[in-house]
Amino acid sequence: MMNSLEILKGNDHIDCSNTLLNLISSEINVSENYSLGLSGGSTPKFFYELFAEKYKNYSNIYLWTVDERHVDINDENSNQRMINSIFSKSNLNIIEYSYEEDPSHSAKNYTNTVFSKVDKFNAAILGVGKDGHIASLFPDTTALNADEKGFVQNEVNILTRWRVTSTFELLKNVENVYLLVTGDNKKEIIEKIGKENGLPVNELIRLRKKTVLLTDQ
């Protein structure tokens, strides 16, 4: 399989976010369901706000959470809490992650929930950590080897001991994957993306036919 990395460079974070909005808008057919995977963190929030405003009346758009810290939704570290705060006033369908004490149960239940509502994974937005992680697929963690097409628990011991994350098997089958990586603090990792260095982000690029990187670096 030919794999490629398309790099779209913007002037700043706002520029990259607007480019991403235009790309995703070009994919949406108003008469069909559309699914979009959302990551946590501060980087995608501006894009989410743009998207929520533009598509607030669309009930045929389904939002699933790419990964989640193993915390209750009321915890300030919850990705789902952040996503809900932006999208809950819209008609968009939020496929909400539900916390359970056992992270493996949370992962299994979220897999079942997402797959019961999504027939086709149209797009996902991913950040890239300074260590090259995507979703909660961190270097040297067990979830890197998961062969399920869905969500699994992963012990990371960063902010929280456990995470629930999309697997490579799921992410490689998403139609369009966008890496949104902006800010001076990401300059070093940007130089490593697309190289053969074994980082999780590059493993995903290797597995996919095409991946798009939007950056201001």
Side-chain angles (χ1 to χ4, degrees):
M1 179 179 69
M2 291 289 292
N3 48 47
S4 68
L5 176 66
E6 180 181 354
I7 302 173
L8 301 178
K9 190 167 182 181
N11 296 319
D12 51 30
H13 178 67
I14 292 174
D15 191 23
C16 290
S17 299
N18 277 295
T19 298
L20 180 56
L21 181 66
N22 291 336
L23 287 170
I24 289 180
S25 295
S26 70
E27 300 166 13
I28 294 175
N29 183 330
V30 295
S31 63
E32 297 178 359
N33 288 347
Y34 183 88
S35 72
L36 178 62
L38 306 181
S39 296
S42 58
T43 301
K45 286 180 73 173
F46 180 67
F47 165 78
Y48 293 167
E49 290 165 357
L50 293 175
F51 190 84
E53 177 59 30
K54 183 170 183 175
Y55 291 103
K56 60 186 176 184
N57 296 321
Y58 288 71
S59 59
N60 62 330
I61 295 177
Y62 291 79
L63 307 175
W64 51 280
T65 301
V66 166
D67 67 310
E68 180 59 289
R69 296 154 183 160
H70 188 57
V71 293
D72 183 83
I73 195 170
N74 294 315
D75 191 290
E76 63 180 8
N77 289 318
S78 167
N79 291 338
Q80 191 68 63
R81 179 185 180 185
M82 182 269 287
I83 290 167
N84 287 1
S85 71
I86 295 173
F87 291 103
S88 60
K89 294 179 181 178
S90 72
N91 290 331
L92 299 167
N93 269 287
I94 302 170
I95 306 175
E96 191 167 307
Y97 171 89
S98 180
Y99 169 84
E100 296 188 35
E101 190 171 342
D102 185 331
S104 68
H105 292 168
S106 296
K108 183 176 181 179
N109 287 341
Y110 197 55
T111 298
N112 292 337
T113 299
V114 170
F115 277 79
S116 72
K117 296 176 182 290
V118 175
D119 295 320
K120 182 179 181 182
F121 290 88
N122 297 101
I125 299 161
L126 303 177
V128 180
K130 294 180 183 179
D131 59 357
H133 81 266
I134 47 159
S136 283
L137 296 167
F138 287 80
D140 304 315
T141 57
T142 58
L144 297 176
N145 301 313
D147 56 9
E148 297 98 320
K149 184 181 177 182
F151 300 84
V152 296
Q153 75 276 16
N154 200 22
E155 188 173 9
V156 301
N157 294 306
I158 300 169
L159 282 182
T160 57
R161 178 183 176 188
W162 292 97
R163 304 278 182 102
V164 168
T165 182
S166 308
T167 61
F168 281 131
E169 193 65 26
L170 173 56
L171 293 174
K172 80 176 187 181
N173 286 291
V174 176
E175 191 170 52
N176 295 293
V177 165
Y178 299 101
L179 307 175
L180 182 60
V181 190
T182 60
D184 291 340
N185 64 332
K186 295 297 178 73
K187 189 174 293 185
E188 187 175 333
I189 190 61
I190 284 290
E191 294 174 357
K192 297 177 181 178
I193 295 176
K195 308 290 176 60
E196 293 184 9
N197 50 27
L199 293 176
V201 62
N202 290 326
E203 176 63 12
L204 179 62
I205 292 168
R206 184 187 71 80
L207 292 169
R208 293 182 49 78
K209 187 174 181 179
K210 180 183 174 183
T211 306
V212 178
L213 169 64
L214 299 103
T215 186
D216 58 356
Q217 296 303 302

